[in-house]
Amino acid sequence: MTHDKGCCGSVCQCFFEYATPKILVIRSKKVGTVNRVIQAVIIAYVIGYVCILKRGYQDTDSVISSVTTKVKGIALTNTSDLGLRVWDVADYVIPPQEESSFFVLTNLIITPNQTQSRCPEEIVVRMTLSVVQVPSLNSNCSSDSDCTPGLKDVRGNGVQTGKCVNYSDSVKTCEVLAWCPLEVDRDPPNPPMLADAENFTALIKNNIRYPKFNFNKRNILPHINKTYLTHCIFNATTDPDCPIFSLKYIVSTAQEDFQTMAVHGGVMGIQIRWDCDLDMPANWCKPRYTFRRLDNKDPENNVAPGYNFRFAKYYKTANDVEIRTLIKGFGIRFDVMVFGKAGKFSIVPMLLNIGAGLALLGLVTIVCDWVVLTFMKKRHQYKAEKFSYVDDFGLLSEAAE
């Protein structure tokens, strides 16, 4: 019972205590050095890092951007399927416009003169270094009973008619209704058919806005005129303001070889960064360009490399028969990515950062007290001087006497 009363008394005593700061001046070179060093570090952090390096006195805003592109260039090919042919921008930029990106055709596999007709099913099986055409597992047959009319094999090329026909002298497959002759699927040509694509150029027009500061700008800077645009090509060293880029320069700057990449295709990233200090003149706000390859290029995992898709061009003969030329196109897609942040002086963030710095100075006293009361030889004397206990009720009784 007595123990319980003692605990309750201790709790009540702690509850009704009040602590007030007491100034204790310690004349010590060691403690004084620790005090000034920590103060200097905090002040250097607030002024050097927060205010100067990170511009803690500024309000910030993120960029809003729009991008349009225009590709130019001419390529010449001479193949057995197409003969001598000139390729212009309408042929190799597919589709004509994309959102913040553009695709340039660099290589292709052509299956010409396809018509809606019937032919033996087949499938392409890729071996280690070659491509072999063999019948699909679902299309092997020995008689019509092995074929199912209307069957659609997702890995096949058409709809089965129910007939078993000769695929070759020794093999039979199910007949399909499809675009015949079926696609010739093989490894893409090497070197690429449109090797001249490395000389193509792309004009990138980028408009940016920082709505908080009502600031607008574009990467075609005020000093750029039409005459300049007719002959300039971007170079980070000699011509960093030109908005026209050579495709070969983009790829080579990313440490890639254009001709190698053009065989199977790939994805390149064009990064535009707008970091603007709006306390400075507006002409100091300029874009910075960097380039890198975005798709995976792992030599140990080269399944389905590059970038490709299929499209067709349709015609009609004099007899009103629809035919098409099927193209499996390989190429490089260029994705334009815009990043940026702008800052401008504002009293609110400046006061907040200064207040945070002043609060950090309070740590100096805590650290110095810990050093004094833990490591100093006279720590017990310092503790006795630092902490004093006064009983308020005792003072009142003495005054009454």
Side-chain angles (χ1 to χ4, degrees), residues 11 41 244 259 269 274 320 397:
V11 171
V41 169
I244 300 177
Q259 295 299 324
W274 294 83
D320 203 31
S397 61

Side-chain angles (χ1 to χ4, degrees), residues 197-261:
E198 67 178 13
N199 299 317
F200 296 170
T201 61
L203 168 63
I204 299 177
K205 294 188 285 185
N206 176 212
N207 295 272
I208 61 112
R209 174 175 172 80
Y210 290 105
K212 184 181 291 187
F213 307 122
N214 195 27
F215 180 83
N216 303 276
K217 200 163 187 179
R218 63 176 186 159
N219 66 329
I220 302 179
L221 302 177
H223 68 273
I224 294 177
N225 54 38
K226 291 184 178 180
T227 304
Y228 174 76
L229 286 179
T230 58
H231 67 268
C232 80
I233 298 291
F234 176 86
N235 185 287
T237 304
T238 60
D239 209 345
D241 295 338
C242 182
I244 300 177
F245 301 82
S246 163
L247 301 191
K248 182 179 181 180
Y249 180 87
I250 294 174
V251 175
S252 61
T253 305
Q255 308 301 317
E256 299 287 342
D257 179 69
F258 188 94
Q259 295 299 324
T260 301
M261 189 175 182

Side-chain angles (χ1 to χ4, degrees), residues 117-257:
S117 55
R118 302 166 188 262
C119 50
E121 176 64 289
E122 64 184 6
I123 192 170
V124 174
V125 175
R126 293 188 174 273
M127 310 303 287
T128 54
L129 295 175
S130 60
V131 178
V132 181
Q133 289 189 340
V134 299
S136 166
L137 294 178
N138 294 330
S139 64
N140 286 331
C141 63
S142 57
S143 64
D144 292 348
S145 61
D146 296 328
C147 302
T148 305
L151 177 64
K152 297 179 284 291
D153 184 358
V154 295
R155 296 183 180 274
N157 294 281
V159 181
Q160 291 189 11
T161 63
K163 293 183 179 180
C164 183
V165 296
N166 291 329
Y167 173 78
S168 64
D169 293 339
S170 58
V171 178
K172 286 187 174 183
T173 62
C174 293
E175 183 184 63
V176 292
L177 176 63
W179 285 98
C180 300
L182 299 181
E183 178 186 15
V184 179
D185 195 3
R186 59 180 184 270
D187 285 330
N190 191 3
M193 287 183 60
L194 274 71
D196 292 340
E198 67 178 13
N199 299 317
F200 296 170
T201 61
L203 168 63
I204 299 177
K205 294 188 285 185
N206 176 212
N207 295 272
I208 61 112
R209 174 175 172 80
Y210 290 105
K212 184 181 291 187
F213 307 122
N214 195 27
F215 180 83
N216 303 276
K217 200 163 187 179
R218 63 176 186 159
N219 66 329
I220 302 179
L221 302 177
H223 68 273
I224 294 177
N225 54 38
K226 291 184 178 180
T227 304
Y228 174 76
L229 286 179
T230 58
H231 67 268
C232 80
I233 298 291
F234 176 86
N235 185 287
T237 304
T238 60
D239 209 345
D241 295 338
C242 182
I244 300 177
F245 301 82
S246 163
L247 301 191
K248 182 179 181 180
Y249 180 87
I250 294 174
V251 175
S252 61
T253 305
Q255 308 301 317
E256 299 287 342
D257 179 69

Side-chain angles (χ1 to χ4, degrees), residues 354-368:
I354 291 176
L358 294 175
L360 286 176
L361 288 175
L363 295 175
V364 178
T365 302
I366 297 174
V367 174
C368 290

Side-chain angles (χ1 to χ4, degrees), residues 47-89:
I47 296 177
Y49 181 78
V50 176
C51 291
I52 298 178
L53 185 62
K54 291 298 182 180
R55 297 192 180 100
Y57 56 88
Q58 290 183 331
D59 193 8
T60 59
D61 193 16
S62 297
V63 69
I64 297 176
S65 167
S66 69
V67 175
T68 57
T69 61
K70 183 186 296 184
V71 181
K72 287 187 176 181
I74 298 295
L76 179 67
T77 61
N78 191 359
T79 65
S80 57
D81 293 324
L82 299 176
L84 188 64
R85 176 167 178 166
V86 174
W87 298 73
D88 62 14
V89 65

Side-chain angles (χ1 to χ4, degrees), residues 313-333:
K313 296 188 176 183
Y314 296 85
Y315 314 92
K316 278 195 174 183
T317 65
N319 298 326
D320 203 31
V321 177
E322 186 180 35
I323 63 173
R324 77 175 189 182
T325 297
L326 178 65
I327 300 173
K328 183 178 181 180
F330 301 81
I332 304 175
R333 193 181 77 192

